[in-house]
Amino acid sequence: MMKSYKIKIVLILGLVFSFSCEEYLDVEPDAVIDEEVVFSTFTNAQGFVEEMYALVVSYEQQTHTFQDFLLGDDGFVDRPTKASGDIDAGRFNDVIRDNFCYLNNHYNSNYGSTGTNSANVQNTNAFNRQRPGLYDGSLRGIRKANIVIEYVENRDLMVNATQAEKDVILGQAYFFRAFFHNEIMKFWGRYPYIDRVLVDDFEIPRPETYKETALRANEDYIKAIELLPVNWDQEPYGQLTQGENRGRLTKGTAYAFQGKNLLLAASPLMKGNNVSVNPYDYDAELCDMAVEAFSGILQLADQGRYALASWENYDDVFWRSPTPGQFIWPGSTEFIFAATGGSQGQATRFMASGVSRAIHTTSAGYEVISPTHNFIHNNFGMANGLSIEDDLSGNFGPPTYDPTQPFANRDPRFYKWHIIDGQVIDPGADDPHKTAQLWFVNSGNKGVHRSSGAENIKIVNNTGYMWTKFYPKVDGKYHTRWNPIINQHVGVRLHMRLTDVYLMYAEALHASMGATAIPSSYGLSAESAINLLRNRAGIPNVHPNIVGDNNKFMDELRRERAVELSYEAHRWLDIRRWGVAHLDKYRRKLALDFPQDQSNFTETLLVDRICEFPKHYWLPFPAAQTQIYEGFPQNPGW
């Protein structure tokens, strides 16, 4: 018999959304109300569901004023005590206590409170705009999802709603229950699947494998797919917010995250279960399931619901707003899902985080994340479609890479998403900022946009490159202090976009069936999927000799993923789930040093990351979490 209990429902509608919930549940923030009221109608129930959207963490804009969100081998922040510095040094316990990291609550804020939201009462207004960190926010989201399922499905309280309205409320709840488990699992590994509202003492032991929880999440994604619409605007309940429904969950969203959940569970680290890891060994059964899930959203794309952005319009995905001057998300036809909320100020700081502050602002609060030379050199290859390593091997024709001219003949995406030394930034800017000055010999002989170390933190660049994927450039001119266009646009890192779906589809399909196989669920091979993306950028198909070598094609597929999703905060998860993060290639962060005349080039070691398998593949749980009851062991090595 089901235990009878009342659950206190606290609304925290003070959280900020990109789409408004003003039409829903018109009550004071922090109100405590009866569940019969919350779930009596669709509009009230949807008001409660909206809060789960606000708990989705924005990795790039989550924290106060800093953008230390590239935690893999792709970015370098000259602040050793910040999140990426702690990860580089193997201090993972410090990472989960970092007040400026999206994984942690910002100064342990009491989110949703109408009173002081921070231990630092002098900065209450600044801190109020933040949301919970990933771990705390995900647990809140799981609880809210379980409350919805309890009262709508199990107790059938939505007596004044149509079946379609009940379905979409439940569809969102089932999606979010799975999604928030996945968010925790990406960083902490295997985790109990919480499928009920916890009200008293409880013991939920950690599962033995990551796969066990992923399969539970998969069941919820399947339910979400059944219940969610293809397009909210085409549904009667969506008319209330017509034109503001872009960020809401759909069948396509659920298909995409179902596939990602399964691919992550199939990946070498998860399959090895922290005991051993073979970077090319996937769980084939889970890969097949992932392919089928991705096929669902790719079929919707074929029907016109989604589409890959063209090369000419690719900026629409990252920063170019549909209506300049208004706070409207980009994403174009690739948009699938993103965290809501934020502000123009947060978006601006994120958009500028890869560029020297000497160029774009004199204001405080801007962090510089320098793209590492190792990441660029290892992944952004040549115009002929080969990696630099393969190009130099001579196995695929005469080499085109010249070490004395490392910026020449490169993949077009290298030029699209980076500023290199000598490149024109803004012809109208004051000297010496018309062109990028990124050369470096020593601390007394360097370009104005280049740093020698900690004395210039937050201001300039450390590695010899700047990255500009989310940085506005209009009519051949980047945003500068002399060309102030950044506030006309809104840069957003999407949690999911269509390019990512093609990349994950190709990875899962190749791991299970090979590069050229075509599954029954969708008529596209892994090779063809990758070539779609390469051809968009104007580079040739994957070389046939690479396609014919299973491991080498997987390497090429991963390189393609690194390029296409560069600086979108996927990298640290990827190098861990592939089981390669502890290898020298992924540990060593490098800068490229050269004199002003570019007469010679030297790779300089910035940091040799501490990464041991399996210790540094998962974040540790706070010690108190593992002491609540037996059966919740700490992650290995901690």
Side-chain angles (χ1 to χ4, degrees):
M1 179 179 296
M2 180 181 296
K3 181 178 179 180
S4 177
Y5 52 83
K6 300 274 285 187
I7 300 170
K8 182 172 71 173
I9 295 180
V10 181
L11 301 177
I12 51 173
L13 298 180
L15 295 166
V16 181
F17 319 127
S18 280
F19 45 82
S20 172
C21 68
E22 293 176 357
E23 302 292 340
Y24 297 121
L25 203 56
D26 186 16
V27 297
E28 291 295 321
D30 303 303
V32 180
I33 58 180
D34 289 338
E35 61 271 20
E36 287 83 0
V37 175
V38 174
F39 296 104
S40 61
T41 66
F42 169 75
T43 53
N44 282 11
Q46 184 61 29
F48 186 78
V49 168
E50 298 287 307
E51 295 190 2
M52 286 185 273
Y53 287 91
L55 291 170
V56 177
V57 166
S58 172
Y59 296 6
E60 78 284 11
Q61 297 183 43
Q62 184 72 13
T63 55
H64 177 43
T65 56
F66 307 111
Q67 291 78 44
D68 187 22
F69 68 98
L70 300 181
L71 306 181
D73 62 334
D74 46 347
F76 177 74
V77 176
D78 203 358
R79 294 283 293 274
T81 59
K82 292 196 65 181
S84 59
D86 287 333
I87 287 174
D88 289 349
R91 298 188 298 262
F92 282 18
N93 277 307
D94 290 341
V95 174
I96 63 174
R97 291 192 293 262
D98 190 331
N99 287 315
F100 296 110
C101 179
Y102 64 81
L103 296 166
N104 184 45
N105 274 7
H106 189 68
Y107 279 98
N108 298 313
S109 299
N110 179 21
Y111 296 90
S113 170
T114 55
T116 299
N117 247 15
S118 168
N120 185 343
V121 295
Q122 295 178 347
N123 276 329
T124 297
N125 290 336
F127 289 1
N128 267 346
R129 70 173 179 264
Q130 309 308 325
R131 291 172 292 182
L134 185 141
Y135 188 79
D136 183 69
S138 295
L139 288 179
R140 291 174 185 234
I142 291 168
R143 179 172 177 81
K144 286 182 177 295
N146 280 326
I147 288 173
V148 173
I149 293 167
E150 171 67 21
Y151 285 122
V152 177
E153 183 168 69
N154 297 340
R155 302 198 188 187
D156 196 23
L157 290 190
M158 286 187 67
V159 294
N160 299 311
T162 68
Q163 187 60 50
E165 290 170 341
K166 293 179 183 178
D167 287 349
V168 75
I169 293 295
L170 280 172
Q172 292 170 96
Y174 278 118
F175 174 92
F176 277 126
R177 187 165 72 180
F179 172 84
F180 285 122
H181 278 93
N182 285 161
E183 286 290 275
I184 293 173
M185 293 161 63
K186 288 192 302 186
F187 300 100
W188 280 271
R190 55 194 176 90
Y191 197 77
Y193 205 76
I194 305 170
D195 61 357
R196 66 184 187 279
V197 182
L198 303 178
V199 291
D200 294 315
D201 292 338
F202 57 86
E203 292 189 13
I204 308 178
R206 290 186 75 184
E208 292 297 320
T209 66
Y210 186 105
K211 179 178 181 178
E212 181 180 333
T213 305
L215 288 174
R216 294 288 305 279
N218 185 58
E219 294 174 4
D220 278 353
Y221 282 126
I222 291 172
K223 292 177 182 177
I225 290 166
E226 294 172 351
L227 296 168
L228 289 171
V230 172
N231 185 339
W232 273 68
D233 282 349
Q234 295 178 356
E235 301 294 335
Y237 50 75
Q239 299 303 304
L240 183 66
T241 48
Q242 180 76 26
E244 299 179 2
N245 293 317
R246 187 184 187 205
R248 293 195 167 90
L249 300 177
T250 64
K251 287 188 189 298
T253 316
Y255 274 128
F257 281 95
Q258 180 197 15
K260 182 173 184 176
N261 168 57
L262 292 165
L263 175 59
L264 264 56
S267 295
L269 173 66
M270 290 69 163
K271 183 181 180 185
N273 203 30
N274 305 321
V275 176
S276 62
V277 61
N278 175 346
Y280 301 103
D281 185 22
Y282 288 73
D283 185 314
E285 179 183 8
L286 290 177
C287 283
D288 287 338
M289 294 168 65
V291 168
E292 185 172 354
F294 291 132
S295 297
I297 186 172
L298 292 177
Q299 289 168 14
L300 292 175
D302 290 346
Q303 296 166 18
R305 176 63 178 159
Y306 310 95
L308 289 174
S310 67
W311 182 248
E312 293 74 21
N313 296 316
Y314 212 4
D315 290 336
D316 294 352
V317 175
F318 307 114
W319 60 264
R320 190 157 54 204
S321 297
T323 306
Q326 298 184 26
F327 193 77
I328 300 176
W329 282 341
S332 186
T333 55
E334 292 207 16
F335 183 96
I336 297 174
F337 189 62
T340 64
S343 67
Q344 184 66 61
Q346 288 172 293
T348 298
R349 286 188 288 273
F350 159 61
M351 295 162 76
S353 60
V355 178
S356 167
R357 202 177 91 189
I359 292 170
H360 58 75
T361 185
T362 57
S363 301
Y366 285 76
E367 191 79 40
V368 172
I369 309 175
S370 302
T372 61
H373 171 64
N374 50 284
F375 177 74
I376 292 172
H377 183 83
N378 291 336
N379 295 293
F380 284 86
M382 305 305 294
N384 61 12
L386 296 171
S387 68
I388 291 176
E389 180 182 8
D390 284 338
D391 182 82
L392 287 175
S393 72
N395 296 329
F396 304 93
T400 62
Y401 179 75
D402 182 352
T404 68
Q405 300 182 58
F407 307 141
N409 301 317
R410 301 291 291 273
D411 184 323
R413 293 168 291 189
F414 170 73
Y415 303 108
K416 189 172 185 67
W417 295 327
H418 299 94
I419 291 175
I420 57 177
D421 183 67
Q423 180 178 336
V424 174
I425 300 171
D426 179 4
D430 291 345
D431 284 330
H433 302 297
K434 294 179 185 292
T435 59
Q437 306 292 316
L438 291 168
W439 48 276
F440 179 85
V441 178
N442 55 52
S443 59
N445 186 10
K446 62 183 180 181
V448 68
H449 304 133
R450 184 70 182 268
S451 171
S452 61
E455 78 277 7
N456 284 322
I457 57 174
K458 296 188 183 180
I459 300 174
V460 288
N461 168 275
N462 293 92
T463 62
Y465 308 87
M466 292 184 276
W467 62 275
T468 62
K469 198 169 195 177
F470 299 90
Y471 194 66
K473 182 180 182 181
V474 178
D475 296 330
K477 299 178 182 180
Y478 283 105
H479 165 76
T480 66
R481 282 182 278 157
W482 306 271
N483 181 39
I485 59 175
I486 199 166
N487 289 332
Q488 297 298 307
H489 301 281
V490 181
V492 171
R493 168 209 172 261
L494 305 184
H495 268 63
M496 183 70 71
R497 63 186 182 94
L498 190 60
T499 290
D500 192 5
V501 171
Y502 277 102
L503 289 162
M504 292 189 290
Y505 169 85
E507 181 180 348
L509 180 55
H510 174 58
S512 173
M513 301 175 63
T516 60
I518 298 177
S520 59
S521 56
Y522 192 68
L524 193 69
S525 68
E527 177 191 14
S528 297
I530 294 304
N531 286 336
L532 278 176
L533 307 179
R534 292 163 68 95
N535 295 164
R536 170 174 62 183
I539 61 174
N541 292 344
V542 181
H543 195 283
N545 291 350
I546 294 176
V547 175
D549 183 323
N550 281 341
N551 287 357
K552 196 159 184 60
F553 182 75
M554 182 61 79
D555 290 341
E556 189 69 1
L557 190 155
R558 291 172 177 175
R559 187 175 72 85
E560 188 68 26
R561 180 174 179 82
V563 170
E564 279 289 343
L565 300 184
S566 56
Y567 316 119
E568 296 182 46
H570 296 283
R571 182 66 175 176
W572 193 45
L573 171 61
D574 284 340
I575 62 176
R576 288 187 297 112
R577 70 181 178 88
W578 295 331
V580 298
H582 64 287
L583 303 179
D584 286 350
K585 182 177 180 180
Y586 305 93
R587 288 202 336 263
R588 294 167 58 84
K589 290 187 176 182
L590 304 175
L592 186 66
D593 294 341
F594 48 91
Q596 188 170 9
D597 63 2
Q598 297 189 9
S599 58
N600 61 81
F601 295 85
T602 303
E603 293 181 342
T604 301
L605 180 66
L606 295 169
V607 61
D608 191 349
R609 292 153 63 87
I610 294 176
C611 185
E612 303 170 5
F613 174 83
K615 179 176 181 179
H616 295 106
Y617 274 74
W618 301 114
L619 292 174
F621 290 97
Q625 178 74 51
T626 66
Q627 297 167 3
I628 297 174
Y629 51 80
E630 292 184 3
F632 199 101
Q634 182 59 275
N635 274 326
W638 302 103

